[in-house]
Amino acid sequence: MNIPILLILFRLLLAPIILGLAYFIGENSKIMIVILMYLGLISDILDGIIARKQNLSSPKLRRMDSQTDMIFWLSIGFSTWILYPKLISDNSTVIWTILGMEIACYVISLIKFKKETCTHAFLSKLWGITLLVAITSLIGFNHAGIPFALAIIMGLISHIDRILITLILPKWTHDIPSAYHAYLIRKGIEFKRNEYLNG
């Protein structure tokens, strides 16, 4: 039994469930959406750790994980829009900027390497944490404030890092901690990876 793949498929299955809860049930589904979001995050943490422990990690698995992450977080984003349309409208410029940068990450990678981006960078993980806090605050406690602003800022910073990683890398590879590490790869300099944060 390939546990990492099962965890990835579990997270993929959560996406339409979360969207369905927000669309069909609305405000009464907020607690369930928050719970499912945390379950998705736990599955995301575990799939990489288990894959590395069992020597199952591969470019194909990491690409599958990366695309599932995108679908999962997009479902969270659209659910937030369904539940809080005014908040999204009030911040539409910066949100569209982040979405545009996400698209740019993929376009640049596809043009340069003929493959989608799959960095799993540290700043992207940090952005995921700030998103988790922001959406927990928003959906769970009806409060945007600093958590939401911090998530927006980290979203911009992490996307700049991902774009730089793709531009700097000499050839496609996965699990690049940062743009600095992409530079080390370009120069042929070895560096130690953290088995829990990056494969």
Side-chain angles (χ1 to χ4, degrees):
M1 181 182 295
N2 194 315
I3 295 176
I5 287 182
L6 290 177
L7 288 169
I8 291 171
L9 291 176
F10 168 71
R11 193 160 65 259
L12 184 63
L13 180 63
L14 289 181
I17 293 174
I18 289 170
L19 277 172
L21 287 171
Y23 186 80
F24 292 108
I25 301 178
E27 297 246 335
N28 292 330
S29 69
K30 291 199 288 189
I31 293 176
M32 181 57 67
I33 288 173
V34 170
I35 291 172
L36 294 180
M37 180 176 65
Y38 274 86
L39 289 176
L41 179 69
I42 292 169
S43 76
D44 190 20
I45 293 170
L46 291 178
D47 65 42
I49 293 174
I50 293 172
R52 288 188 285 275
K53 290 290 186 182
Q54 297 183 345
N55 292 318
L56 295 173
S57 187
S58 66
K60 183 178 180 180
L61 183 69
R62 300 306 284 158
R63 290 171 71 183
M64 182 181 177
D65 179 48
S66 183
Q67 304 319 305
T68 300
D69 285 347
M70 180 185 67
I71 293 170
F72 175 75
W73 284 109
L74 278 175
S75 75
I76 297 290
F78 279 117
S79 296
T80 304
W81 174 56
I82 292 168
L83 295 171
Y84 297 94
K86 187 177 186 307
L87 177 70
I88 301 302
S89 176
D90 290 345
N91 294 275
S92 61
T93 300
V94 70
I95 290 172
W96 278 111
T97 299
I98 291 176
L99 287 174
M101 293 172 79
E102 179 72 23
I103 293 170
C105 290
Y106 279 83
V107 170
I108 293 169
S109 186
L110 288 170
I111 291 174
K112 186 174 181 181
F113 302 124
K114 304 296 189 292
K115 289 183 181 180
E116 75 283 359
T117 179
C118 186
T119 60
H120 293 101
F122 288 154
L123 288 177
S124 293
K125 294 177 188 296
L126 186 57
W127 180 42
I129 292 171
T130 61
L131 270 178
L132 187 77
V133 173
I135 294 170
T136 299
S137 175
L138 183 62
I139 295 179
F141 302 97
N142 291 311
H143 175 71
I146 293 176
F148 186 78
L150 186 60
I152 291 292
I153 292 169
M154 281 308 307
L156 294 170
I157 293 172
S158 68
H159 279 82
I160 291 171
D161 182 58
R162 285 177 61 200
I163 290 172
L164 287 174
I165 288 172
T166 306
L167 291 174
I168 293 169
L169 281 176
K171 63 179 182 179
W172 187 92
T173 187
H174 58 87
D175 296 336
I176 313 301
S178 69
Y180 169 69
H181 292 88
Y183 171 78
L184 293 180
I185 290 173
R186 187 178 187 87
K187 293 296 182 180
I189 301 172
E190 292 291 328
F191 59 90
K192 185 176 181 180
R193 296 175 183 267
N194 186 305
E195 71 170 302
Y196 294 105
L197 296 178
N198 225 278

